[in-house]
PDB file of all heavy atoms in Angstrom:
ATOM      1  N   VAL A 165     116.408 102.595  99.101  1.00  0.00           N
ATOM      2  CA  VAL A 165     115.699 102.131  97.892  1.00  0.00           C
ATOM      3  C   VAL A 165     116.207 100.750  97.486  1.00  0.00           C
ATOM      4  O   VAL A 165     115.451  99.929  96.975  1.00  0.00           O
ATOM      5  CB  VAL A 165     115.904 103.170  96.738  1.00  0.00           C
ATOM      6  CG1 VAL A 165     115.362 102.630  95.411  1.00  0.00           C
ATOM      7  CG2 VAL A 165     115.237 104.476  97.081  1.00  0.00           C
ATOM      8  N   LEU A 166     117.481 100.487  97.739  1.00  0.00           N
ATOM      9  CA  LEU A 166     118.061  99.177  97.383  1.00  0.00           C
ATOM     10  C   LEU A 166     117.707  98.096  98.433  1.00  0.00           C
ATOM     11  O   LEU A 166     118.116  96.946  98.287  1.00  0.00           O
ATOM     12  CB  LEU A 166     119.598  99.281  97.278  1.00  0.00           C
ATOM     13  CG  LEU A 166     120.127 100.118  96.104  1.00  0.00           C
ATOM     14  CD1 LEU A 166     121.649 100.232  96.183  1.00  0.00           C
ATOM     15  CD2 LEU A 166     119.718  99.499  94.764  1.00  0.00           C
ATOM     16  N   ASP A 167     117.013  98.490  99.501  1.00  0.00           N
ATOM     17  CA  ASP A 167     116.659  97.545 100.598  1.00  0.00           C
ATOM     18  C   ASP A 167     117.874  97.041 101.340  1.00  0.00           C
ATOM     19  O   ASP A 167     117.854  95.913 101.856  1.00  0.00           O
ATOM     20  CB  ASP A 167     115.949  96.281 100.051  1.00  0.00           C
ATOM     21  CG  ASP A 167     114.524  96.504  99.691  1.00  0.00           C
ATOM     22  OD1 ASP A 167     113.925  97.427 100.269  1.00  0.00           O
ATOM     23  OD2 ASP A 167     114.017  95.777  98.824  1.00  0.00           O
ATOM     24  N   ARG A 168     118.954  97.799 101.354  1.00  0.00           N
ATOM     25  CA  ARG A 168     120.144  97.339 102.086  1.00  0.00           C
ATOM     26  C   ARG A 168     119.942  97.634 103.582  1.00  0.00           C
ATOM     27  O   ARG A 168     119.520  98.733 103.946  1.00  0.00           O
ATOM     28  CB  ARG A 168     121.410  98.034 101.578  1.00  0.00           C
ATOM     29  CG  ARG A 168     121.674  97.802 100.129  1.00  0.00           C
ATOM     30  CD  ARG A 168     122.084  96.394  99.811  1.00  0.00           C
ATOM     31  NE  ARG A 168     123.384  96.066 100.327  1.00  0.00           N
ATOM     32  CZ  ARG A 168     124.009  94.913 100.051  1.00  0.00           C
ATOM     33  NH1 ARG A 168     123.438  94.019  99.268  1.00  0.00           N
ATOM     34  NH2 ARG A 168     125.196  94.664 100.547  1.00  0.00           N
ATOM     35  N   ARG A 169     120.288  96.641 104.395  1.00  0.00           N
ATOM     36  CA  ARG A 169     119.988  96.745 105.822  1.00  0.00           C
ATOM     37  C   ARG A 169     121.140  97.308 106.634  1.00  0.00           C
ATOM     38  O   ARG A 169     120.976  97.647 107.778  1.00  0.00           O
ATOM     39  CB  ARG A 169     119.624  95.379 106.398  1.00  0.00           C
ATOM     40  CG  ARG A 169     118.464  94.683 105.678  1.00  0.00           C
ATOM     41  CD  ARG A 169     117.174  95.490 105.872  1.00  0.00           C
ATOM     42  NE  ARG A 169     116.221  95.191 104.810  1.00  0.00           N
ATOM     43  CZ  ARG A 169     115.082  94.540 105.012  1.00  0.00           C
ATOM     44  NH1 ARG A 169     114.748  94.082 106.186  1.00  0.00           N
ATOM     45  NH2 ARG A 169     114.251  94.339 104.020  1.00  0.00           N
ATOM     46  N   HIS A 170     122.378  97.356 106.031  1.00  0.00           N
ATOM     47  CA  HIS A 170     123.510  97.821 106.819  1.00  0.00           C
ATOM     48  C   HIS A 170     123.574  99.331 106.883  1.00  0.00           C
ATOM     49  O   HIS A 170     123.016 100.030 106.039  1.00  0.00           O
ATOM     50  CB  HIS A 170     124.827  97.261 106.255  1.00  0.00           C
ATOM     51  CG  HIS A 170     124.967  97.428 104.777  1.00  0.00           C
ATOM     52  ND1 HIS A 170     125.532  98.537 104.199  1.00  0.00           N
ATOM     53  CD2 HIS A 170     124.595  96.622 103.755  1.00  0.00           C
ATOM     54  CE1 HIS A 170     125.503  98.400 102.871  1.00  0.00           C
ATOM     55  NE2 HIS A 170     124.938  97.234 102.585  1.00  0.00           N
ATOM     56  N   THR A 171     124.239  99.850 107.904  1.00  0.00           N
ATOM     57  CA  THR A 171     124.421 101.300 108.010  1.00  0.00           C
ATOM     58  C   THR A 171     125.399 101.740 106.928  1.00  0.00           C
ATOM     59  O   THR A 171     126.200 100.928 106.439  1.00  0.00           O
ATOM     60  CB  THR A 171     124.994 101.668 109.391  1.00  0.00           C
ATOM     61  OG1 THR A 171     126.222 100.926 109.545  1.00  0.00           O
ATOM     62  CG2 THR A 171     124.036 101.350 110.503  1.00  0.00           C
ATOM     63  N   PRO A 172     125.328 103.031 106.503  1.00  0.00           N
ATOM     64  CA  PRO A 172     126.182 103.437 105.384  1.00  0.00           C
ATOM     65  C   PRO A 172     127.677 103.169 105.634  1.00  0.00           C
ATOM     66  O   PRO A 172     128.392 102.802 104.704  1.00  0.00           O
ATOM     67  CB  PRO A 172     125.915 104.961 105.327  1.00  0.00           C
ATOM     68  CG  PRO A 172     124.577 105.146 105.918  1.00  0.00           C
ATOM     69  CD  PRO A 172     124.418 104.075 106.953  1.00  0.00           C
ATOM     70  N   GLY A 173     128.142 103.299 106.866  1.00  0.00           N
ATOM     71  CA  GLY A 173     129.569 103.195 107.122  1.00  0.00           C
ATOM     72  C   GLY A 173     130.072 101.773 107.305  1.00  0.00           C
ATOM     73  O   GLY A 173     131.272 101.504 107.340  1.00  0.00           O
ATOM     74  N   ARG A 174     129.159 100.801 107.401  1.00  0.00           N
ATOM     75  CA  ARG A 174     129.560  99.448 107.781  1.00  0.00           C
ATOM     76  C   ARG A 174     130.484  98.788 106.756  1.00  0.00           C
ATOM     77  O   ARG A 174     131.408  98.053 107.106  1.00  0.00           O
ATOM     78  CB  ARG A 174     128.309  98.598 108.014  1.00  0.00           C
ATOM     79  CG  ARG A 174     128.560  97.158 108.365  1.00  0.00           C
ATOM     80  CD  ARG A 174     129.051  96.980 109.784  1.00  0.00           C
ATOM     81  NE  ARG A 174     129.364  95.590 110.035  1.00  0.00           N
ATOM     82  CZ  ARG A 174     129.422  95.033 111.236  1.00  0.00           C
ATOM     83  NH1 ARG A 174     129.210  95.747 112.315  1.00  0.00           N
ATOM     84  NH2 ARG A 174     129.723  93.757 111.365  1.00  0.00           N
ATOM     85  N   ALA A 175     130.245  99.055 105.486  1.00  0.00           N
ATOM     86  CA  ALA A 175     131.091  98.435 104.449  1.00  0.00           C
ATOM     87  C   ALA A 175     132.510  98.953 104.535  1.00  0.00           C
ATOM     88  O   ALA A 175     133.481  98.208 104.348  1.00  0.00           O
ATOM     89  CB  ALA A 175     130.514  98.709 103.053  1.00  0.00           C
ATOM     90  N   LEU A 176     132.635 100.266 104.864  1.00  0.00           N
ATOM     91  CA  LEU A 176     133.983 100.854 104.968  1.00  0.00           C
ATOM     92  C   LEU A 176     134.713 100.275 106.155  1.00  0.00           C
ATOM     93  O   LEU A 176     135.925  99.989 106.113  1.00  0.00           O
ATOM     94  CB  LEU A 176     133.880 102.376 105.116  1.00  0.00           C
ATOM     95  CG  LEU A 176     133.090 103.063 104.019  1.00  0.00           C
ATOM     96  CD1 LEU A 176     132.960 104.559 104.315  1.00  0.00           C
ATOM     97  CD2 LEU A 176     133.767 102.845 102.681  1.00  0.00           C
ATOM     98  N   GLU A 177     133.948 100.068 107.242  1.00  0.00           N
ATOM     99  CA  GLU A 177     134.527  99.485 108.451  1.00  0.00           C
ATOM    100  C   GLU A 177     135.012  98.045 108.125  1.00  0.00           C
ATOM    101  O   GLU A 177     136.118  97.675 108.491  1.00  0.00           O
ATOM    102  CB  GLU A 177     133.430  99.416 109.516  1.00  0.00           C
ATOM    103  CG  GLU A 177     133.930  99.577 110.914  1.00  0.00           C
ATOM    104  CD  GLU A 177     132.734  99.725 111.884  1.00  0.00           C
ATOM    105  OE1 GLU A 177     131.559  99.535 111.472  1.00  0.00           O
ATOM    106  OE2 GLU A 177     132.995 100.026 113.019  1.00  0.00           O
ATOM    107  N   ALA A 178     134.168  97.326 107.415  1.00  0.00           N
ATOM    108  CA  ALA A 178     134.547  95.946 107.060  1.00  0.00           C
ATOM    109  C   ALA A 178     135.782  95.927 106.175  1.00  0.00           C
ATOM    110  O   ALA A 178     136.664  95.062 106.322  1.00  0.00           O
ATOM    111  CB  ALA A 178     133.369  95.240 106.350  1.00  0.00           C
ATOM    112  N   ALA A 179     135.892  96.894 105.242  1.00  0.00           N
ATOM    113  CA  ALA A 179     137.074  96.966 104.384  1.00  0.00           C
ATOM    114  C   ALA A 179     138.322  97.248 105.242  1.00  0.00           C
ATOM    115  O   ALA A 179     139.392  96.642 105.013  1.00  0.00           O
ATOM    116  CB  ALA A 179     136.882  98.035 103.321  1.00  0.00           C
TER     117      ALA A 179
END
Side-chain angles (χ1 to χ4, degrees):
V165 171
L166 292 175
D167 283 334
R168 300 291 291 187
R169 305 294 158 112
H170 47 90
T171 55
R174 178 75 184 201
L176 305 176
E177 212 171 9

